[in-house]
Amino acid sequence: MSAGWSLWVMFLVVLNFGITFLLFLWAPRAKIPTLPDDTSGHVWAHGTIREGVRNLPLWWLLLSGSMFVAGALYLVFYPGFGNHKGTLGWTAHGELARDEAANNAKLDDLIERFRKYPVEQLAEDPAAQQMGERLFVDNCAACHGRGGYGNVKLGAPSLIDDDWLYGGSGQDILTSIREGRAGMMPPWSSLGEDNVKNLANYVLSLSGSSHDEGRAHAGQALFTTCAACHGPQGKGNPALGAPNLTDRIWLHGGKFEDIVRTIGGGRQGQMPAWSKRLNDDQTRVLAAYVYHLSHQGDAAAQASR
């Protein structure tokens, strides 16, 4: 801070310290008018309770005096009195740097161990799960939810099931995190409103969902326009990020109106690339945590055997 601000801070410190110290010295010697019974005259409960006047106890005076000494010593040892840096040379930035260095030293051993395992095996490591959870909450929870349940309104898929748009292997998940994904479902409003509804009913029939049988039959022939991405049986294509239409897992909702809106208006999704924000070690730990989320049922089944 500038010399002017430094002098102003010093003035305020001396003023406040001086006033409170003078009050501390004066208070024990102050003469308070009292009645013959050594009370102040203030009464409550119709005179049952009277306010007495007593000297401050010695322990209180000693404790309060020690606080003034501690305050003065603090201003000598630590920064706070204008531009005075303190005789100990302590700074908040220095303490932060030391804490970060100590933390990084601990992390280095963990990261070195994590590098030895593939993502699938790393997902079983409790330390990697703990670190991955923190990375997930900080970077992924805004869209996928803190528990990884997804968000239909955002088109963010659930990460706790075994349904994957771009593949669910450790390497697939790692690639999605590092490089991001861009999905695009073109609008098919050119088919006409009636045909869009027929096609929506056929899509519902693929997963055994409630649908109009007659409209579904009429829409079957139209599905050839979709088969290029979703496959002839609607099983999806991880290479293109085209979802499976037969498993009742819907990225943008599985009601008839949702599917009509998807077919007629199309959909666009963007998974940002995190390689610019997270380093390679962090993305591997994060991928392991996401893999862990989708395989918690497997671990529970093994534990119950």
Side-chain angles (χ1 to χ4, degrees):
M1 76 179 68
S2 66
W5 277 112
S6 176
L7 290 173
W8 175 245
V9 170
M10 294 168 70
F11 168 76
L12 292 178
V13 170
V14 171
L15 178 65
N16 284 275
F17 197 93
I19 290 174
T20 53
F21 187 67
L22 288 175
L23 288 174
F24 170 73
L25 295 177
W26 169 80
R29 296 170 175 78
K31 300 297 182 181
I32 301 175
T34 59
L35 298 177
D37 61 356
D38 291 329
T39 64
S40 67
H42 295 160
V43 297
W44 293 270
H46 306 288
T48 304
I49 302 175
R50 296 175 295 171
E51 182 182 65
V53 178
R54 299 287 186 272
N55 292 327
L56 291 170
L58 180 61
W59 66 265
W60 189 94
L61 293 173
L62 293 175
L63 180 62
S64 298
S66 67
M67 294 298 101
F68 284 100
V69 175
L73 290 175
Y74 178 89
L75 292 177
V76 172
F77 294 138
Y78 295 95
F81 192 57
N83 281 334
H84 175 62
K85 299 184 181 300
T87 58
L88 297 181
W90 179 91
T91 64
H93 292 292
E95 182 167 347
L96 176 61
R98 288 190 293 272
D99 289 344
E100 287 182 338
N103 187 58
N104 289 336
K106 295 178 182 178
L107 285 177
D108 287 344
D109 292 338
L110 275 178
I111 295 299
E112 190 64 32
R113 191 185 76 199
F114 292 165
R115 290 171 181 166
K116 299 177 181 178
Y117 308 119
V119 170
E120 290 83 353
Q121 188 174 351
L122 186 59
E124 302 174 4
D125 189 305
Q129 292 174 15
Q130 185 178 15
M131 186 184 300
E133 181 181 14
R134 176 45 51 196
L135 290 169
F136 184 87
V137 170
D138 290 345
N139 300 283
C140 312
C143 292
H144 294 281
R146 191 181 182 95
Y149 293 98
N151 189 324
V152 173
K153 293 182 178 179
L154 297 176
S158 169
L159 303 175
I160 64 171
D161 54 31
D162 59 355
D163 185 76
W164 298 92
L165 294 176
Y166 294 94
S169 70
Q171 187 57 48
D172 291 332
I173 297 171
L174 186 58
T175 300
S176 294
I177 295 172
R178 284 179 176 170
E179 301 178 10
R181 300 290 188 179
M184 196 275 287
M185 159 78 180
W188 293 102
S189 55
S190 59
L191 295 174
E193 182 178 348
D194 200 53
N195 280 333
V196 167
K197 291 182 178 179
N198 291 339
L199 185 54
N201 275 282
Y202 178 72
V203 169
L204 285 171
S205 72
L206 292 175
S207 61
S209 301
S210 177
H211 63 280
D212 184 302
E213 191 67 37
R215 280 187 171 274
H217 181 72
Q220 183 174 3
L222 297 170
F223 190 76
T224 55
T225 59
C226 313
C229 293
H230 294 279
Q233 286 78 42
K235 296 290 186 179
N237 188 339
L240 299 175
N244 185 349
L245 304 177
T246 68
D247 56 9
R248 296 194 181 189
I249 297 176
W250 305 98
L251 186 58
H252 297 279
K255 296 180 181 179
F256 174 72
E257 296 80 7
D258 297 327
I259 298 174
V260 167
R261 191 177 301 113
T262 297
I263 296 173
R267 298 288 187 179
Q268 286 187 327
Q270 179 70 42
M271 159 76 178
W274 292 99
S275 56
K276 295 181 180 179
R277 175 165 175 165
L278 303 176
N279 61 38
D280 287 346
D281 292 318
Q282 290 172 323
T283 53
R284 287 189 74 255
V285 173
L286 181 53
Y289 179 72
V290 172
Y291 187 89
H292 160 74
L293 285 178
S294 66
H295 289 78
Q296 293 182 90
D298 299 344
Q302 292 179 2
S304 63
R305 290 177 182 175

mmCIF file of all heavy atoms in Angstrom, residues 33-53:
data_model
loop_
_atom_site.group_PDB
_atom_site.id
_atom_site.type_symbol
_atom_site.label_atom_id
_atom_site.label_comp_id
_atom_site.label_asym_id
_atom_site.label_seq_id
_atom_site.Cartn_x
_atom_site.Cartn_y
_atom_site.Cartn_z
ATOM 1 N N PRO A 33 -22.160 6.090 41.562
ATOM 2 C CA PRO A 33 -23.025 6.418 42.704
ATOM 3 C C PRO A 33 -23.807 5.194 43.163
ATOM 4 O O PRO A 33 -24.386 4.475 42.350
ATOM 5 C CB PRO A 33 -23.950 7.500 42.154
ATOM 6 C CG PRO A 33 -23.232 8.060 40.961
ATOM 7 C CD PRO A 33 -22.456 6.920 40.389
ATOM 8 N N THR A 34 -23.805 4.942 44.437
ATOM 9 C CA THR A 34 -24.523 3.788 44.983
ATOM 10 C C THR A 34 -25.374 4.210 46.174
ATOM 11 O O THR A 34 -25.145 5.258 46.803
ATOM 12 C CB THR A 34 -23.540 2.694 45.436
ATOM 13 O OG1 THR A 34 -22.660 3.236 46.427
ATOM 14 C CG2 THR A 34 -22.728 2.163 44.258
ATOM 15 N N LEU A 35 -26.328 3.387 46.492
ATOM 16 C CA LEU A 35 -27.165 3.584 47.666
ATOM 17 C C LEU A 35 -26.446 3.025 48.897
ATOM 18 O O LEU A 35 -25.416 2.337 48.761
ATOM 19 C CB LEU A 35 -28.501 2.871 47.459
ATOM 20 C CG LEU A 35 -29.347 3.372 46.271
ATOM 21 C CD1 LEU A 35 -30.610 2.531 46.129
ATOM 22 C CD2 LEU A 35 -29.687 4.845 46.414
ATOM 23 N N PRO A 36 -26.951 3.290 50.090
ATOM 24 C CA PRO A 36 -26.304 2.764 51.303
ATOM 25 C C PRO A 36 -26.125 1.246 51.309
ATOM 26 O O PRO A 36 -25.241 0.717 51.976
ATOM 27 C CB PRO A 36 -27.230 3.224 52.425
ATOM 28 C CG PRO A 36 -27.859 4.488 51.894
ATOM 29 C CD PRO A 36 -28.046 4.236 50.445
ATOM 30 N N ASP A 37 -26.997 0.545 50.580
ATOM 31 C CA ASP A 37 -26.874 -0.934 50.546
ATOM 32 C C ASP A 37 -25.958 -1.410 49.435
ATOM 33 O O ASP A 37 -25.977 -2.586 49.067
ATOM 34 C CB ASP A 37 -28.256 -1.583 50.408
ATOM 35 C CG ASP A 37 -28.964 -1.169 49.113
ATOM 36 O OD1 ASP A 37 -28.417 -0.324 48.373
ATOM 37 O OD2 ASP A 37 -30.061 -1.703 48.832
ATOM 38 N N ASP A 38 -25.154 -0.490 48.857
ATOM 39 C CA ASP A 38 -24.203 -0.807 47.779
ATOM 40 C C ASP A 38 -24.874 -1.287 46.500
ATOM 41 O O ASP A 38 -24.299 -2.071 45.738
ATOM 42 C CB ASP A 38 -23.178 -1.857 48.244
ATOM 43 C CG ASP A 38 -22.230 -1.292 49.293
ATOM 44 O OD1 ASP A 38 -21.958 -0.074 49.242
ATOM 45 O OD2 ASP A 38 -21.779 -2.074 50.142
ATOM 46 N N THR A 39 -26.078 -0.848 46.221
ATOM 47 C CA THR A 39 -26.731 -1.137 44.946
ATOM 48 C C THR A 39 -26.873 0.154 44.164
ATOM 49 O O THR A 39 -26.762 1.258 44.705
ATOM 50 C CB THR A 39 -28.117 -1.769 45.152
ATOM 51 O OG1 THR A 39 -28.969 -0.816 45.817
ATOM 52 C CG2 THR A 39 -28.027 -3.032 45.992
ATOM 53 N N SER A 40 -27.129 0.003 42.851
ATOM 54 C CA SER A 40 -27.211 1.182 41.978
ATOM 55 C C SER A 40 -28.556 1.868 42.026
ATOM 56 O O SER A 40 -28.717 2.977 41.534
ATOM 57 C CB SER A 40 -26.920 0.748 40.540
ATOM 58 O OG SER A 40 -27.959 -0.099 40.055
ATOM 59 N N GLY A 41 -29.553 1.200 42.614
ATOM 60 C CA GLY A 41 -30.904 1.741 42.632
ATOM 61 C C GLY A 41 -31.794 1.154 41.570
ATOM 62 O O GLY A 41 -33.006 1.347 41.577
ATOM 63 N N HIS A 42 -31.220 0.410 40.623
ATOM 64 C CA HIS A 42 -32.015 -0.266 39.603
ATOM 65 C C HIS A 42 -32.629 -1.536 40.192
ATOM 66 O O HIS A 42 -31.925 -2.340 40.823
ATOM 67 C CB HIS A 42 -31.148 -0.625 38.404
ATOM 68 C CG HIS A 42 -30.614 0.586 37.686
ATOM 69 N ND1 HIS A 42 -29.525 0.547 36.860
ATOM 70 C CD2 HIS A 42 -31.024 1.880 37.686
ATOM 71 C CE1 HIS A 42 -29.280 1.741 36.360
ATOM 72 N NE2 HIS A 42 -30.186 2.573 36.868
ATOM 73 N N VAL A 43 -33.934 -1.687 40.019
ATOM 74 C CA VAL A 43 -34.621 -2.862 40.580
ATOM 75 C C VAL A 43 -35.496 -3.498 39.516
ATOM 76 O O VAL A 43 -35.897 -2.850 38.547
ATOM 77 C CB VAL A 43 -35.465 -2.484 41.809
ATOM 78 C CG1 VAL A 43 -34.601 -1.968 42.943
ATOM 79 C CG2 VAL A 43 -36.543 -1.458 41.450
ATOM 80 N N TRP A 44 -35.763 -4.798 39.697
ATOM 81 C CA TRP A 44 -36.675 -5.545 38.831
ATOM 82 C C TRP A 44 -37.589 -6.387 39.713
ATOM 83 O O TRP A 44 -37.309 -6.598 40.907
ATOM 84 C CB TRP A 44 -35.884 -6.471 37.892
ATOM 85 C CG TRP A 44 -35.047 -5.740 36.881
ATOM 86 C CD1 TRP A 44 -35.439 -5.347 35.628
ATOM 87 C CD2 TRP A 44 -33.699 -5.303 37.038
ATOM 88 N NE1 TRP A 44 -34.418 -4.701 35.003
ATOM 89 C CE2 TRP A 44 -33.324 -4.650 35.831
ATOM 90 C CE3 TRP A 44 -32.771 -5.374 38.078
ATOM 91 C CZ2 TRP A 44 -32.080 -4.101 35.637
ATOM 92 C CZ3 TRP A 44 -31.520 -4.823 37.876
ATOM 93 C CH2 TRP A 44 -31.180 -4.192 36.682
ATOM 94 N N ALA A 45 -38.649 -6.864 39.119
ATOM 95 C CA ALA A 45 -39.600 -7.739 39.832
ATOM 96 C C ALA A 45 -40.088 -7.082 41.114
ATOM 97 O O ALA A 45 -40.075 -7.692 42.189
ATOM 98 C CB ALA A 45 -38.961 -9.099 40.116
ATOM 99 N N HIS A 46 -40.502 -5.813 40.964
ATOM 100 C CA HIS A 46 -41.068 -5.067 42.097
ATOM 101 C C HIS A 46 -40.116 -4.996 43.282
ATOM 102 O O HIS A 46 -40.539 -5.103 44.442
ATOM 103 C CB HIS A 46 -42.412 -5.688 42.530
ATOM 104 C CG HIS A 46 -43.398 -5.816 41.409
ATOM 105 N ND1 HIS A 46 -44.047 -4.740 40.845
ATOM 106 C CD2 HIS A 46 -43.838 -6.917 40.726
ATOM 107 C CE1 HIS A 46 -44.852 -5.158 39.870
ATOM 108 N NE2 HIS A 46 -44.741 -6.472 39.777
ATOM 109 N N GLY A 47 -38.846 -4.825 42.987
ATOM 110 C CA GLY A 47 -37.859 -4.651 44.052
ATOM 111 C C GLY A 47 -37.246 -5.937 44.558
ATOM 112 O O GLY A 47 -36.337 -5.913 45.395
ATOM 113 N N THR A 48 -37.705 -7.086 44.028
ATOM 114 C CA THR A 48 -37.145 -8.365 44.478
ATOM 115 C C THR A 48 -35.696 -8.520 44.038
ATOM 116 O O THR A 48 -34.854 -9.050 44.770
ATOM 117 C CB THR A 48 -37.974 -9.535 43.914
ATOM 118 O OG1 THR A 48 -39.334 -9.372 44.308
ATOM 119 C CG2 THR A 48 -37.452 -10.864 44.441
ATOM 120 N N ILE A 49 -35.408 -8.032 42.826
ATOM 121 C CA ILE A 49 -34.047 -8.129 42.293
ATOM 122 C C ILE A 49 -33.468 -6.717 42.219
ATOM 123 O O ILE A 49 -34.061 -5.809 41.618
ATOM 124 C CB ILE A 49 -34.044 -8.777 40.894
ATOM 125 C CG1 ILE A 49 -34.665 -10.170 40.947
ATOM 126 C CG2 ILE A 49 -32.628 -8.835 40.335
ATOM 127 C CD1 ILE A 49 -34.809 -10.827 39.592
ATOM 128 N N ARG A 50 -32.309 -6.529 42.841
ATOM 129 C CA ARG A 50 -31.640 -5.227 42.831
ATOM 130 C C ARG A 50 -30.261 -5.364 42.178
ATOM 131 O O ARG A 50 -29.612 -6.388 42.310
ATOM 132 C CB ARG A 50 -31.492 -4.706 44.268
ATOM 133 C CG ARG A 50 -32.833 -4.420 44.955
ATOM 134 C CD ARG A 50 -32.629 -4.029 46.410
ATOM 135 N NE ARG A 50 -32.059 -5.152 47.168
ATOM 136 C CZ ARG A 50 -31.615 -5.048 48.419
ATOM 137 N NH1 ARG A 50 -31.635 -3.870 49.038
ATOM 138 N NH2 ARG A 50 -31.137 -6.101 49.049
ATOM 139 N N GLU A 51 -29.853 -4.308 41.475
ATOM 140 C CA GLU A 51 -28.568 -4.316 40.783
ATOM 141 C C GLU A 51 -27.448 -3.895 41.728
ATOM 142 O O GLU A 51 -27.446 -2.767 42.232
ATOM 143 C CB GLU A 51 -28.610 -3.369 39.583
ATOM 144 C CG GLU A 51 -27.313 -3.356 38.773
ATOM 145 C CD GLU A 51 -27.373 -2.370 37.623
ATOM 146 O OE1 GLU A 51 -27.460 -1.157 37.891
ATOM 147 O OE2 GLU A 51 -27.343 -2.810 36.456
ATOM 148 N N GLY A 52 -26.518 -4.812 41.961
ATOM 149 C CA GLY A 52 -25.401 -4.515 42.830
ATOM 150 C C GLY A 52 -24.242 -3.893 42.071
ATOM 151 O O GLY A 52 -24.187 -3.941 40.837
ATOM 152 N N VAL A 53 -23.342 -3.270 42.806
ATOM 153 C CA VAL A 53 -22.153 -2.664 42.212
ATOM 154 C C VAL A 53 -20.929 -3.302 42.842
ATOM 155 O O VAL A 53 -20.721 -3.194 44.062
ATOM 156 C CB VAL A 53 -22.124 -1.138 42.431
ATOM 157 C CG1 VAL A 53 -20.852 -0.540 41.838
ATOM 158 C CG2 VAL A 53 -23.352 -0.484 41.810
#
